[in-house]
Amino acid sequence: MWIFPILLLLVQHSTGSILPTESPPEDTTISDERQSQCTKEFEEQDQQLTSLKAQLNVYRDKARELEMLLNYSNTMGERLWESYKAQTDFKEQVEKILMKEIQVQNSTIQLEEDQRQSFENRLNELEWQLKNRDLRIMEIETQMKHKEDRTRGYLKTFMDIIEKELEGKNADITLSTENSSERREIQASEQMEDLKEQADAKQISSDQQLKDKDTELLLKMVKEMKEQISKMEMQIQARETQMQSHDKSIRELVDQVNFLKRTWTGSCLPFTNSTDIYTIKLPGMGSVDVPCNSSVSGSGWTVIQRRVRGNVNFNRTWSEYKHGFGDLRENLFLGLEKIHLMTLLQPHELYIQLQHANGSTSYARYDDFKIGSEAEAYKLKSLGKYSGTAEDSLAFHEDMKFSTFDRDNLDCAKYFGGGWWFDTCAESNLNGIYYPNGTSSKRDGIFWGAWQKDNYTISLTFTQMMIRPKVM
Ligand SMILES: *[C@@H]1O[C@H](CO)[C@@H](O)[C@H](O)[C@H]1NC(C)=O
Ligand SMILES: *[C@@H]1O[C@H](CO)[C@@H](O)[C@H](O)[C@H]1NC(C)=O
Ligand SMILES: *[C@@H]1O[C@H](CO)[C@@H](O)[C@H](O)[C@H]1NC(C)=O
Ligand SMILES: *[C@@H]1O[C@H](CO)[C@@H](O)[C@H](O)[C@H]1NC(C)=O
Ligand SMILES: *[C@@H]1O[C@H](CO)[C@@H](O)[C@H](O)[C@H]1NC(C)=O
Ligand SMILES: *[C@@H]1O[C@H](CO)[C@@H](O)[C@H](O)[C@H]1NC(C)=O
Ligand SMILES: *[C@@H]1O[C@H](CO)[C@@H](O)[C@H](O)[C@H]1NC(C)=O
Ligand SMILES: *[C@@H]1O[C@H](CO)[C@@H](O)[C@H](O)[C@H]1NC(C)=O
Ligand SMILES: *[C@@H]1O[C@H](CO)[C@@H](O)[C@H](O)[C@H]1NC(C)=O
């Protein structure tokens, strides 16, 4: 593109230089003077030609340079295109991973829902059975009432019969006393007296007999009835026991449902009085052993970090902070992935205990602790409201990514030693170097700036970080 006009220019120059003079020679004989003039002119033109050649070379060089520039910009374009493509691919991959995570969580939620449903069904069934039992007890009560009524009926008929019999006897006696003649009036009256007495006696005795019989019968019936009643009472009692056992099994089921609900969320909450290692379940990870602590500010805390001695190095790699390290019963960091999964599904509290080498202690508590996924560099996503006695030295780190010396997001981890949510750089770092004597020469110990009045030669000798699902 550039070369063509340059060549044209060159040709114009050359043609000009071929004709030395504009006018034709006047003489056929060339004078010496003229000859030397010509030679001079030729020399001049030669010089001109050489300079033009040099110019041409300069232009050629420029042209090559421009071509190289063009080539360079082409390669740059290609590289840009490649990096754009790589970025797009990366984005797609991340999206895929996220989608997978969502699906895993979805299926976990589905599973939970199914379990809950089956428990509910079971509860409904048991309730229905209970209702049935109530109905049957009512039925039995009605039957008992029937039987009682019938017994009363029998008794009444029986009494009627007895009364009638007694009446008949009285009539006989009256009749026989009426039948007397005037002649034997006195005798008769005496006899009558006698008879009357006899009749009275008879009546009394028969009454007595009847009464005895009656009583016997009644007693027998009462006994029978009592037996029946006690039988029924026993039946009722049996039903009641059955009902109670059903009540109990229902309560047990409800407890189980609650237990499952709590354990499935993955925390120490179900282990109310525990002070040891327990297995919890995390979505997408399964069973995980964690230390639980219920002797500090209520029960159900999961310990995620603890410093008690200097025997465990906390200046570790990203991968080690991701998966966790140390001894569950002593110095430990539980692992960022676990903490992320625990705080993912429901709000958590964070409780931090601190102790100075001089023995004094303090705590800081936050009511909404949450960290992001590895794709978000386990960012300290939220802390919530602070309360406590140590003053707040963590809010400074809110929204910061986690850093380790091999993945130093802000060039702080290497200096401070140990992973933390460094800003530029730190107001607290509980994963620093452990100094048993509580004093560090530079700012690389375990510190909580607000509590130690920004005296960073102080290095704390005990820390414990614990989390617990927020009780609404
Ligand atoms: C520019 O690229 C072309 C084709 O790739 C190549 O033939 C040419 O030598 C390159 N020019 C320079 C100056 O590198
Ligand atoms: C997860 O479940 C929700 C609601 O059930 C649904 O809208 C969403 O599409 C599901 N996502 C995936 C990735 O299955
Ligand atoms: C009463 O006496 C009369 C005769 O004096 C006799 O005919 C009658 O049968 C007696 N009746 C009874 C119930 O004894
Ligand atoms: C837990 O401890 C408290 C207080 O010591 C006690 O009242 C409660 O019964 C304990 N619960 C269990 C499940 O052991
Ligand atoms: C719970 O934490 C306290 C520290 O405040 C400690 O004294 C106790 O031993 C811990 N319990 C367990 C089982 O770690
Ligand atoms: C932590 O370890 C890294 C890598 O070994 C090292 O560069 C850094 O100086 C260490 N930091 C401290 C404070 O020891
Ligand atoms: C504390 O221990 C560190 C390292 O172990 C040491 O450098 C420092 O001199 C000690 N400080 C005191 C006051 O003993
Ligand atoms: C111990 O250290 C803490 C933290 O620096 C301080 O607040 C407290 O006054 C100290 N106590 C004693 C008895 O020195
Ligand atoms: C910081 O704390 C150390 C003890 O660890 C103490 O010797 C020093 O005087 C304190 N510095 C200030 C400025 O208070």
Side-chain angles (χ1 to χ4, degrees), residues 213-267:
K213 245 191 191 166
D214 188 7
T215 318
E216 214 174 283
L217 236 156
L218 265 173
L219 277 174
K220 209 174 147 198
M221 276 169 85
V222 165
K223 209 175 137 199
E224 260 172 31
M225 263 170 68
K226 266 188 181 161
E227 268 167 17
Q228 249 178 351
I229 286 170
S230 79
K231 232 190 238 167
M232 278 181 185
E233 267 172 0
M234 263 158 67
Q235 265 178 345
I236 288 170
Q237 198 142 22
R239 300 273 181 220
E240 257 172 16
T241 326
Q242 238 173 348
M243 260 163 65
Q244 268 168 8
S245 91
H246 277 299
D247 265 0
K248 208 175 137 206
S249 68
I250 286 170
R251 236 176 296 130
E252 271 168 10
L253 274 172
V254 169
D255 282 352
Q256 227 173 327
V257 169
N258 286 339
F259 174 80
L260 270 173
K261 263 188 192 162
R262 283 180 308 195
T263 44
W264 192 256
T265 60
S267 84

Side-chain angles (χ1 to χ4, degrees), residues 157-170 210:
T157 337
F158 184 69
M159 293 295 272
D160 284 354
I161 290 167
I162 290 169
E163 248 167 50
K164 252 186 211 151
E165 230 173 277
L166 274 173
E167 261 167 31
K169 284 219 168 117
N170 271 343
L210 278 171

